[in-house]
mmCIF file of all heavy atoms in Angstrom:
data_model
loop_
_atom_site.group_PDB
_atom_site.id
_atom_site.type_symbol
_atom_site.label_atom_id
_atom_site.label_comp_id
_atom_site.label_asym_id
_atom_site.label_seq_id
_atom_site.Cartn_x
_atom_site.Cartn_y
_atom_site.Cartn_z
ATOM 1 N N GLU A 1 6.171 -5.305 1.625
ATOM 2 C CA GLU A 1 7.485 -5.401 0.829
ATOM 3 C C GLU A 1 7.120 -5.858 -0.567
ATOM 4 O O GLU A 1 7.818 -5.407 -1.503
ATOM 5 C CB GLU A 1 8.354 -6.442 1.636
ATOM 6 C CG GLU A 1 9.006 -5.889 2.828
ATOM 7 C CD GLU A 1 9.784 -6.887 3.581
ATOM 8 O OE1 GLU A 1 9.699 -8.099 3.258
ATOM 9 O OE2 GLU A 1 10.397 -6.475 4.593
ATOM 10 N N GLU A 2 6.152 -6.747 -0.748
ATOM 11 C CA GLU A 2 5.788 -7.168 -2.077
ATOM 12 C C GLU A 2 5.281 -6.019 -2.934
ATOM 13 O O GLU A 2 5.677 -5.835 -4.123
ATOM 14 C CB GLU A 2 4.772 -8.257 -1.967
ATOM 15 C CG GLU A 2 4.247 -8.749 -3.408
ATOM 16 C CD GLU A 2 3.189 -9.893 -3.308
ATOM 17 O OE1 GLU A 2 2.675 -10.227 -2.166
ATOM 18 O OE2 GLU A 2 2.761 -10.380 -4.332
ATOM 19 N N LEU A 3 4.552 -5.086 -2.337
ATOM 20 C CA LEU A 3 4.109 -3.909 -2.908
ATOM 21 C C LEU A 3 5.259 -3.043 -3.358
ATOM 22 O O LEU A 3 5.275 -2.489 -4.508
ATOM 23 C CB LEU A 3 3.145 -3.065 -2.046
ATOM 24 C CG LEU A 3 2.619 -1.766 -2.550
ATOM 25 C CD1 LEU A 3 1.641 -2.021 -3.686
ATOM 26 C CD2 LEU A 3 1.961 -0.998 -1.375
ATOM 27 N N GLU A 4 6.309 -2.938 -2.534
ATOM 28 C CA GLU A 4 7.378 -2.125 -2.976
ATOM 29 C C GLU A 4 8.171 -2.643 -4.102
ATOM 30 O O GLU A 4 8.794 -1.888 -4.797
ATOM 31 C CB GLU A 4 8.354 -2.005 -1.684
ATOM 32 C CG GLU A 4 7.838 -1.053 -0.629
ATOM 33 C CD GLU A 4 8.820 -0.758 0.479
ATOM 34 O OE1 GLU A 4 10.029 -0.562 0.201
ATOM 35 O OE2 GLU A 4 8.334 -0.599 1.613
ATOM 36 N N GLY A 5 8.080 -3.991 -4.391
ATOM 37 C CA GLY A 5 8.618 -4.543 -5.575
ATOM 38 C C GLY A 5 7.912 -4.060 -6.833
ATOM 39 O O GLY A 5 8.534 -4.048 -7.873
ATOM 40 N N TYR A 6 6.765 -3.444 -6.684
ATOM 41 C CA TYR A 6 6.125 -2.862 -7.801
ATOM 42 C C TYR A 6 6.390 -1.270 -7.873
ATOM 43 O O TYR A 6 5.709 -0.614 -8.667
ATOM 44 C CB TYR A 6 4.583 -3.065 -7.728
ATOM 45 C CG TYR A 6 4.125 -4.434 -8.107
ATOM 46 C CD1 TYR A 6 4.101 -5.396 -7.061
ATOM 47 C CD2 TYR A 6 3.889 -4.778 -9.439
ATOM 48 C CE1 TYR A 6 3.681 -6.759 -7.435
ATOM 49 C CE2 TYR A 6 3.515 -6.062 -9.753
ATOM 50 C CZ TYR A 6 3.453 -7.092 -8.782
ATOM 51 O OH TYR A 6 3.113 -8.327 -9.118
ATOM 52 N N GLY A 7 7.201 -0.807 -6.976
ATOM 53 C CA GLY A 7 7.553 0.616 -7.089
ATOM 54 C C GLY A 7 6.768 1.552 -6.196
ATOM 55 O O GLY A 7 6.815 2.753 -6.436
ATOM 56 N N VAL A 8 6.087 1.022 -5.208
ATOM 57 C CA VAL A 8 5.232 1.909 -4.311
ATOM 58 C C VAL A 8 5.479 1.573 -2.922
ATOM 59 O O VAL A 8 5.520 0.356 -2.480
ATOM 60 C CB VAL A 8 3.784 1.696 -4.677
ATOM 61 C CG1 VAL A 8 2.863 2.456 -3.584
ATOM 62 C CG2 VAL A 8 3.428 2.327 -6.009
ATOM 63 N N LYS A 9 5.699 2.647 -2.093
ATOM 64 C CA LYS A 9 5.877 2.486 -0.619
ATOM 65 C C LYS A 9 4.537 2.972 -0.067
ATOM 66 O O LYS A 9 4.249 4.175 -0.215
ATOM 67 C CB LYS A 9 7.073 3.292 -0.077
ATOM 68 C CG LYS A 9 7.274 3.087 1.382
ATOM 69 C CD LYS A 9 8.564 3.740 1.798
ATOM 70 C CE LYS A 9 8.969 3.550 3.229
ATOM 71 N NZ LYS A 9 8.066 3.628 4.319
ATOM 72 N N HIS A 10 3.948 2.083 0.658
ATOM 73 C CA HIS A 10 2.715 2.520 1.320
ATOM 74 C C HIS A 10 3.098 3.129 2.683
ATOM 75 O O HIS A 10 3.824 2.654 3.431
ATOM 76 C CB HIS A 10 1.823 1.267 1.603
ATOM 77 C CG HIS A 10 0.373 1.483 1.879
ATOM 78 N ND1 HIS A 10 -0.064 2.200 2.971
ATOM 79 C CD2 HIS A 10 -0.732 1.115 1.192
ATOM 80 C CE1 HIS A 10 -1.379 2.227 2.975
ATOM 81 N NE2 HIS A 10 -1.809 1.594 1.848
ATOM 82 N N GLU A 11 2.640 4.401 2.832
ATOM 83 C CA GLU A 11 3.037 5.167 3.986
ATOM 84 C C GLU A 11 2.145 4.956 5.202
ATOM 85 O O GLU A 11 2.269 5.641 6.231
ATOM 86 C CB GLU A 11 3.143 6.660 3.628
ATOM 87 C CG GLU A 11 4.057 7.041 2.560
ATOM 88 C CD GLU A 11 5.531 6.834 2.887
ATOM 89 O OE1 GLU A 11 5.871 6.624 4.076
ATOM 90 O OE2 GLU A 11 6.385 6.793 1.945
ATOM 91 N N ASP A 12 1.158 4.100 5.088
ATOM 92 C CA ASP A 12 0.274 3.707 6.180
ATOM 93 C C ASP A 12 0.122 2.184 6.159
ATOM 94 O O ASP A 12 -0.818 1.576 6.091
ATOM 95 C CB ASP A 12 -1.094 4.363 5.941
ATOM 96 C CG ASP A 12 -1.982 4.302 7.192
ATOM 97 O OD1 ASP A 12 -1.462 4.074 8.327
ATOM 98 O OD2 ASP A 12 -3.192 4.485 6.988
ATOM 99 N N ALA A 13 1.390 1.601 6.354
ATOM 100 C CA ALA A 13 1.492 0.110 6.195
ATOM 101 C C ALA A 13 1.094 -0.675 7.459
ATOM 102 O O ALA A 13 1.963 -1.128 8.181
ATOM 103 C CB ALA A 13 2.949 -0.182 5.727
ATOM 104 N N PHE A 14 -0.204 -0.691 7.629
ATOM 105 C CA PHE A 14 -0.793 -1.375 8.867
ATOM 106 C C PHE A 14 -1.828 -2.353 8.387
ATOM 107 O O PHE A 14 -2.344 -2.268 7.304
ATOM 108 C CB PHE A 14 -1.323 -0.390 9.821
ATOM 109 C CG PHE A 14 -0.345 0.507 10.448
ATOM 110 C CD1 PHE A 14 -0.136 1.841 9.901
ATOM 111 C CD2 PHE A 14 0.511 0.070 11.467
ATOM 112 C CE1 PHE A 14 0.860 2.601 10.485
ATOM 113 C CE2 PHE A 14 1.478 0.974 11.937
ATOM 114 C CZ PHE A 14 1.646 2.217 11.517
ATOM 115 N N ALA A 15 -1.967 -3.320 9.280
ATOM 116 C CA ALA A 15 -3.080 -4.376 8.904
ATOM 117 C C ALA A 15 -4.450 -3.854 8.530
ATOM 118 O O ALA A 15 -5.215 -4.450 7.812
ATOM 119 C CB ALA A 15 -3.171 -5.327 10.139
ATOM 120 N N ARG A 16 -4.838 -2.602 9.037
ATOM 121 C CA ARG A 16 -6.105 -2.037 8.655
ATOM 122 C C ARG A 16 -6.216 -1.798 7.219
ATOM 123 O O ARG A 16 -7.343 -1.599 6.666
ATOM 124 C CB ARG A 16 -6.306 -0.803 9.516
ATOM 125 C CG ARG A 16 -5.337 0.377 9.080
ATOM 126 C CD ARG A 16 -5.690 1.651 9.918
ATOM 127 N NE ARG A 16 -4.614 2.595 9.815
ATOM 128 C CZ ARG A 16 -3.725 2.764 10.647
ATOM 129 N NH1 ARG A 16 -3.708 2.153 11.783
ATOM 130 N NH2 ARG A 16 -2.841 3.708 10.408
ATOM 131 N N ASN A 17 -5.189 -1.781 6.507
ATOM 132 C CA ASN A 17 -5.162 -1.548 5.012
ATOM 133 C C ASN A 17 -4.926 -2.783 4.220
ATOM 134 O O ASN A 17 -4.526 -2.821 3.106
ATOM 135 C CB ASN A 17 -4.159 -0.454 4.682
ATOM 136 C CG ASN A 17 -4.550 0.844 5.158
ATOM 137 O OD1 ASN A 17 -5.747 1.132 5.112
ATOM 138 N ND2 ASN A 17 -3.674 1.661 5.751
ATOM 139 N N ILE A 18 -5.206 -3.973 4.844
ATOM 140 C CA ILE A 18 -5.201 -5.201 4.175
ATOM 141 C C ILE A 18 -6.468 -5.968 4.144
ATOM 142 O O ILE A 18 -7.235 -5.804 5.129
ATOM 143 C CB ILE A 18 -4.158 -6.126 4.880
ATOM 144 C CG1 ILE A 18 -2.765 -5.502 4.728
ATOM 145 C CG2 ILE A 18 -4.059 -7.559 4.341
ATOM 146 C CD1 ILE A 18 -1.631 -6.303 5.624
ATOM 147 N N THR A 19 -6.823 -6.360 3.011
ATOM 148 C CA THR A 19 -8.098 -7.160 2.819
ATOM 149 C C THR A 19 -7.855 -8.546 2.280
ATOM 150 O O THR A 19 -6.703 -8.877 1.968
ATOM 151 C CB THR A 19 -9.044 -6.466 1.723
ATOM 152 O OG1 THR A 19 -8.427 -6.495 0.532
ATOM 153 C CG2 THR A 19 -9.380 -5.047 2.225
ATOM 154 N N TYR A 20 -8.881 -9.367 2.355
ATOM 155 C CA TYR A 20 -8.693 -10.669 1.769
ATOM 156 C C TYR A 20 -9.707 -10.902 0.663
ATOM 157 O O TYR A 20 -10.928 -10.632 0.976
ATOM 158 C CB TYR A 20 -8.732 -11.880 2.829
ATOM 159 C CG TYR A 20 -8.599 -13.170 2.220
ATOM 160 C CD1 TYR A 20 -7.307 -13.612 1.986
ATOM 161 C CD2 TYR A 20 -9.623 -14.024 1.745
ATOM 162 C CE1 TYR A 20 -6.969 -14.800 1.269
ATOM 163 C CE2 TYR A 20 -9.315 -15.167 1.068
ATOM 164 C CZ TYR A 20 -8.059 -15.666 0.839
ATOM 165 O OH TYR A 20 -7.821 -16.798 0.257
ATOM 166 N N ASP A 21 -9.271 -11.249 -0.506
ATOM 167 C CA ASP A 21 -10.228 -11.369 -1.664
ATOM 168 C C ASP A 21 -10.396 -12.842 -1.928
ATOM 169 O O ASP A 21 -9.479 -13.411 -2.467
ATOM 170 C CB ASP A 21 -9.713 -10.577 -2.852
ATOM 171 C CG ASP A 21 -10.612 -10.536 -4.012
ATOM 172 O OD1 ASP A 21 -11.669 -11.357 -4.008
ATOM 173 O OD2 ASP A 21 -10.423 -9.852 -4.960
ATOM 174 N N PRO A 22 -11.523 -13.422 -1.571
ATOM 175 C CA PRO A 22 -11.746 -14.860 -1.813
ATOM 176 C C PRO A 22 -11.721 -15.226 -3.202
ATOM 177 O O PRO A 22 -11.338 -16.372 -3.634
ATOM 178 C CB PRO A 22 -13.053 -15.215 -1.091
ATOM 179 C CG PRO A 22 -13.773 -13.791 -0.970
ATOM 180 C CD PRO A 22 -12.645 -12.813 -0.945
ATOM 181 N N ARG A 23 -12.144 -14.337 -4.077
ATOM 182 C CA ARG A 23 -12.205 -14.618 -5.552
ATOM 183 C C ARG A 23 -10.723 -14.843 -6.063
ATOM 184 O O ARG A 23 -10.529 -15.661 -6.944
ATOM 185 C CB ARG A 23 -12.856 -13.516 -6.289
ATOM 186 C CG ARG A 23 -14.312 -13.340 -6.077
ATOM 187 C CD ARG A 23 -14.805 -12.065 -6.676
ATOM 188 N NE ARG A 23 -13.930 -10.942 -6.236
ATOM 189 C CZ ARG A 23 -14.190 -9.699 -6.082
ATOM 190 N NH1 ARG A 23 -15.446 -9.298 -6.201
ATOM 191 N NH2 ARG A 23 -13.222 -8.807 -5.683
ATOM 192 N N GLU A 24 -9.841 -13.977 -5.556
ATOM 193 C CA GLU A 24 -8.420 -14.125 -5.989
ATOM 194 C C GLU A 24 -7.620 -15.127 -5.146
ATOM 195 O O GLU A 24 -6.505 -15.521 -5.464
ATOM 196 C CB GLU A 24 -7.813 -12.701 -5.960
ATOM 197 C CG GLU A 24 -8.369 -11.788 -6.921
ATOM 198 C CD GLU A 24 -8.155 -12.089 -8.323
ATOM 199 O OE1 GLU A 24 -7.065 -12.651 -8.700
ATOM 200 O OE2 GLU A 24 -9.014 -11.924 -9.192
ATOM 201 N N GLY A 25 -8.220 -15.401 -3.912
ATOM 202 C CA GLY A 25 -7.530 -16.262 -2.982
ATOM 203 C C GLY A 25 -6.229 -15.679 -2.524
ATOM 204 O O GLY A 25 -5.288 -16.448 -2.241
ATOM 205 N N ARG A 26 -6.302 -14.442 -2.173
ATOM 206 C CA ARG A 26 -5.034 -13.813 -1.693
ATOM 207 C C ARG A 26 -5.386 -12.491 -0.956
ATOM 208 O O ARG A 26 -6.516 -11.928 -0.957
ATOM 209 C CB ARG A 26 -4.016 -13.533 -2.803
ATOM 210 C CG ARG A 26 -4.523 -12.383 -3.725
ATOM 211 C CD ARG A 26 -3.233 -11.725 -4.438
ATOM 212 N NE ARG A 26 -2.425 -11.065 -3.411
ATOM 213 C CZ ARG A 26 -1.042 -11.037 -3.482
ATOM 214 N NH1 ARG A 26 -0.503 -11.546 -4.430
ATOM 215 N NH2 ARG A 26 -0.419 -10.358 -2.612
ATOM 216 N N PHE A 27 -4.345 -12.047 -0.138
ATOM 217 C CA PHE A 27 -4.470 -10.774 0.536
ATOM 218 C C PHE A 27 -4.243 -9.617 -0.404
ATOM 219 O O PHE A 27 -3.489 -9.818 -1.457
ATOM 220 C CB PHE A 27 -3.472 -10.689 1.642
ATOM 221 C CG PHE A 27 -3.706 -11.604 2.786
ATOM 222 C CD1 PHE A 27 -2.935 -12.705 2.991
ATOM 223 C CD2 PHE A 27 -4.748 -11.361 3.746
ATOM 224 C CE1 PHE A 27 -3.218 -13.631 4.059
ATOM 225 C CE2 PHE A 27 -4.978 -12.169 4.785
ATOM 226 C CZ PHE A 27 -4.204 -13.331 4.955
ATOM 227 N N CYS A 28 -4.925 -8.488 -0.188
ATOM 228 C CA CYS A 28 -4.723 -7.330 -1.040
ATOM 229 C C CYS A 28 -4.421 -6.113 -0.148
ATOM 230 O O CYS A 28 -4.640 -6.206 1.066
ATOM 231 C CB CYS A 28 -6.059 -7.122 -1.785
ATOM 232 S SG CYS A 28 -6.522 -8.385 -2.928
ATOM 233 N N ILE A 29 -4.013 -5.069 -0.774
ATOM 234 C CA ILE A 29 -3.662 -3.779 -0.057
ATOM 235 C C ILE A 29 -4.584 -2.732 -0.572
ATOM 236 O O ILE A 29 -4.803 -2.579 -1.861
ATOM 237 C CB ILE A 29 -2.245 -3.446 -0.142
ATOM 238 C CG1 ILE A 29 -1.270 -4.607 0.401
ATOM 239 C CG2 ILE A 29 -1.852 -2.173 0.435
ATOM 240 C CD1 ILE A 29 0.172 -4.408 0.265
ATOM 241 N N ILE A 30 -5.142 -1.952 0.333
ATOM 242 C CA ILE A 30 -6.011 -0.749 -0.044
ATOM 243 C C ILE A 30 -5.515 0.515 0.567
ATOM 244 O O ILE A 30 -4.511 0.537 1.350
ATOM 245 C CB ILE A 30 -7.404 -1.059 0.492
ATOM 246 C CG1 ILE A 30 -7.513 -1.192 1.977
ATOM 247 C CG2 ILE A 30 -7.980 -2.234 -0.233
ATOM 248 C CD1 ILE A 30 -8.923 -1.183 2.546
ATOM 249 N N ASP A 31 -6.174 1.596 0.233
ATOM 250 C CA ASP A 31 -5.991 2.891 0.853
ATOM 251 C C ASP A 31 -4.602 3.508 0.598
ATOM 252 O O ASP A 31 -3.742 3.495 1.397
ATOM 253 C CB ASP A 31 -6.223 2.829 2.372
ATOM 254 C CG ASP A 31 -6.716 4.194 2.908
ATOM 255 O OD1 ASP A 31 -6.671 5.177 2.190
ATOM 256 O OD2 ASP A 31 -6.977 4.255 4.142
ATOM 257 N N PHE A 32 -4.499 4.148 -0.544
ATOM 258 C CA PHE A 32 -3.215 4.714 -1.061
ATOM 259 C C PHE A 32 -3.191 6.234 -0.896
ATOM 260 O O PHE A 32 -2.401 6.879 -1.684
ATOM 261 C CB PHE A 32 -2.949 4.186 -2.447
ATOM 262 C CG PHE A 32 -2.603 2.725 -2.478
ATOM 263 C CD1 PHE A 32 -3.609 1.845 -2.529
ATOM 264 C CD2 PHE A 32 -1.254 2.274 -2.374
ATOM 265 C CE1 PHE A 32 -3.240 0.430 -2.614
ATOM 266 C CE2 PHE A 32 -0.992 0.983 -2.404
ATOM 267 C CZ PHE A 32 -1.948 0.102 -2.485
ATOM 268 N N GLU A 33 -3.991 6.849 -0.061
ATOM 269 C CA GLU A 33 -3.845 8.284 0.126
ATOM 270 C C GLU A 33 -2.458 8.709 0.499
ATOM 271 O O GLU A 33 -1.962 9.721 0.043
ATOM 272 C CB GLU A 33 -4.792 8.801 1.206
ATOM 273 C CG GLU A 33 -6.320 8.594 0.882
ATOM 274 C CD GLU A 33 -7.103 8.972 2.094
ATOM 275 O OE1 GLU A 33 -6.839 10.060 2.753
ATOM 276 O OE2 GLU A 33 -8.096 8.307 2.378
ATOM 277 N N PHE A 34 -1.801 7.862 1.338
ATOM 278 C CA PHE A 34 -0.505 8.096 1.781
ATOM 279 C C PHE A 34 0.396 7.083 1.302
ATOM 280 O O PHE A 34 0.474 5.971 1.801
ATOM 281 C CB PHE A 34 -0.401 8.139 3.303
ATOM 282 C CG PHE A 34 -1.281 9.272 3.873
ATOM 283 C CD1 PHE A 34 -2.454 8.980 4.491
ATOM 284 C CD2 PHE A 34 -0.804 10.577 3.855
ATOM 285 C CE1 PHE A 34 -3.237 10.005 5.065
ATOM 286 C CE2 PHE A 34 -1.606 11.650 4.342
ATOM 287 C CZ PHE A 34 -2.793 11.300 4.947
ATOM 288 N N ALA A 35 1.037 7.359 0.047
ATOM 289 C CA ALA A 35 1.939 6.383 -0.594
ATOM 290 C C ALA A 35 2.834 7.188 -1.465
ATOM 291 O O ALA A 35 2.449 8.320 -1.826
ATOM 292 C CB ALA A 35 1.109 5.389 -1.368
ATOM 293 N N THR A 36 4.070 6.625 -1.788
ATOM 294 C CA THR A 36 5.057 7.317 -2.568
ATOM 295 C C THR A 36 5.487 6.367 -3.609
ATOM 296 O O THR A 36 5.560 5.154 -3.424
ATOM 297 C CB THR A 36 6.204 7.795 -1.823
ATOM 298 O OG1 THR A 36 6.742 6.772 -1.078
ATOM 299 C CG2 THR A 36 5.777 8.946 -0.842
ATOM 300 N N LEU A 37 5.826 6.886 -4.799
ATOM 301 C CA LEU A 37 6.445 6.164 -5.866
ATOM 302 C C LEU A 37 7.955 6.099 -5.496
ATOM 303 O O LEU A 37 8.561 7.201 -5.414
ATOM 304 C CB LEU A 37 6.248 6.831 -7.204
ATOM 305 C CG LEU A 37 4.739 7.030 -7.577
ATOM 306 C CD1 LEU A 37 4.653 7.768 -8.885
ATOM 307 C CD2 LEU A 37 3.985 5.816 -7.587
ATOM 308 N N THR A 38 8.494 4.880 -5.325
ATOM 309 C CA THR A 38 9.883 4.746 -4.929
ATOM 310 C C THR A 38 10.886 5.318 -5.871
ATOM 311 O O THR A 38 11.931 5.878 -5.441
ATOM 312 C CB THR A 38 10.193 3.306 -4.536
ATOM 313 O OG1 THR A 38 9.897 2.480 -5.662
ATOM 314 C CG2 THR A 38 9.389 2.833 -3.316
ATOM 315 N N GLU A 39 10.595 5.333 -7.163
ATOM 316 C CA GLU A 39 11.524 5.766 -8.177
ATOM 317 C C GLU A 39 11.714 7.263 -8.106
ATOM 318 O O GLU A 39 12.775 7.775 -8.214
ATOM 319 C CB GLU A 39 11.126 5.316 -9.523
ATOM 320 C CG GLU A 39 12.129 5.581 -10.626
ATOM 321 C CD GLU A 39 11.629 5.064 -11.983
ATOM 322 O OE1 GLU A 39 11.313 3.841 -12.060
ATOM 323 O OE2 GLU A 39 11.662 5.828 -12.929
ATOM 324 N N THR A 40 10.646 7.951 -7.917
ATOM 325 C CA THR A 40 10.672 9.450 -7.921
ATOM 326 C C THR A 40 10.607 10.155 -6.574
ATOM 327 O O THR A 40 10.792 11.346 -6.387
ATOM 328 C CB THR A 40 9.605 10.031 -8.877
ATOM 329 O OG1 THR A 40 8.344 9.664 -8.338
ATOM 330 C CG2 THR A 40 9.743 9.479 -10.273
ATOM 331 N N GLY A 41 9.978 9.389 -5.596
ATOM 332 C CA GLY A 41 9.729 9.963 -4.331
ATOM 333 C C GLY A 41 8.393 10.793 -4.293
ATOM 334 O O GLY A 41 8.060 11.387 -3.297
ATOM 335 N N GLU A 42 7.670 10.786 -5.474
ATOM 336 C CA GLU A 42 6.420 11.573 -5.499
ATOM 337 C C GLU A 42 5.391 10.869 -4.621
ATOM 338 O O GLU A 42 5.451 9.674 -4.529
ATOM 339 C CB GLU A 42 5.901 11.604 -6.932
ATOM 340 C CG GLU A 42 6.734 12.342 -7.874
ATOM 341 C CD GLU A 42 6.111 12.234 -9.292
ATOM 342 O OE1 GLU A 42 5.176 12.944 -9.650
ATOM 343 O OE2 GLU A 42 6.622 11.274 -10.034
ATOM 344 N N GLY A 43 4.548 11.669 -3.957
ATOM 345 C CA GLY A 43 3.429 11.091 -3.182
ATOM 346 C C GLY A 43 3.313 11.943 -1.926
ATOM 347 O O GLY A 43 3.830 12.988 -1.714
ATOM 348 N N LEU A 44 2.489 11.347 -1.025
ATOM 349 C CA LEU A 44 2.176 11.973 0.269
ATOM 350 C C LEU A 44 2.616 11.024 1.408
ATOM 351 O O LEU A 44 2.364 9.850 1.282
ATOM 352 C CB LEU A 44 0.684 12.251 0.367
ATOM 353 C CG LEU A 44 0.162 13.471 -0.316
ATOM 354 C CD1 LEU A 44 -1.302 13.460 -0.151
ATOM 355 C CD2 LEU A 44 0.819 14.758 0.138
ATOM 356 N N THR A 45 3.089 11.628 2.472
ATOM 357 C CA THR A 45 3.309 10.832 3.667
ATOM 358 C C THR A 45 2.535 11.467 4.872
ATOM 359 O O THR A 45 2.230 12.698 4.791
ATOM 360 C CB THR A 45 4.802 10.729 4.034
ATOM 361 O OG1 THR A 45 5.237 12.013 4.515
ATOM 362 C CG2 THR A 45 5.626 10.374 2.866
ATOM 363 N N THR A 46 2.372 10.703 5.921
ATOM 364 C CA THR A 46 1.718 11.220 7.079
ATOM 365 C C THR A 46 2.562 12.247 7.729
ATOM 366 O O THR A 46 2.139 12.965 8.639
ATOM 367 C CB THR A 46 1.219 10.194 8.028
ATOM 368 O OG1 THR A 46 2.377 9.310 8.324
ATOM 369 C CG2 THR A 46 0.128 9.231 7.393
ATOM 370 N N GLU A 47 3.893 12.258 7.435
ATOM 371 C CA GLU A 47 4.905 13.170 8.028
ATOM 372 C C GLU A 47 4.859 14.518 7.242
ATOM 373 O O GLU A 47 5.646 15.405 7.665
ATOM 374 C CB GLU A 47 6.232 12.566 7.999
ATOM 375 C CG GLU A 47 6.284 11.259 8.933
ATOM 376 C CD GLU A 47 5.913 11.531 10.298
ATOM 377 O OE1 GLU A 47 6.321 12.451 10.938
ATOM 378 O OE2 GLU A 47 5.114 10.698 10.747
ATOM 379 N N ASP A 48 4.132 14.672 6.252
ATOM 380 C CA ASP A 48 4.047 15.927 5.458
ATOM 381 C C ASP A 48 3.745 17.015 6.408
ATOM 382 O O ASP A 48 2.732 16.947 7.183
ATOM 383 C CB ASP A 48 2.977 15.746 4.356
ATOM 384 C CG ASP A 48 3.029 16.908 3.434
ATOM 385 O OD1 ASP A 48 2.892 18.094 3.949
ATOM 386 O OD2 ASP A 48 3.007 16.710 2.138
#
């Protein structure tokens, strides 16, 4: 949901695409092959 605040919907929104970066002290999100820009709808989904 935080990611969506930046205008991107991750279409594979599972824990396998979350990392922890100790340098930043926070969780991060990876793997954007299947993601869409919420403003335009551009992108790829696994439902393609």
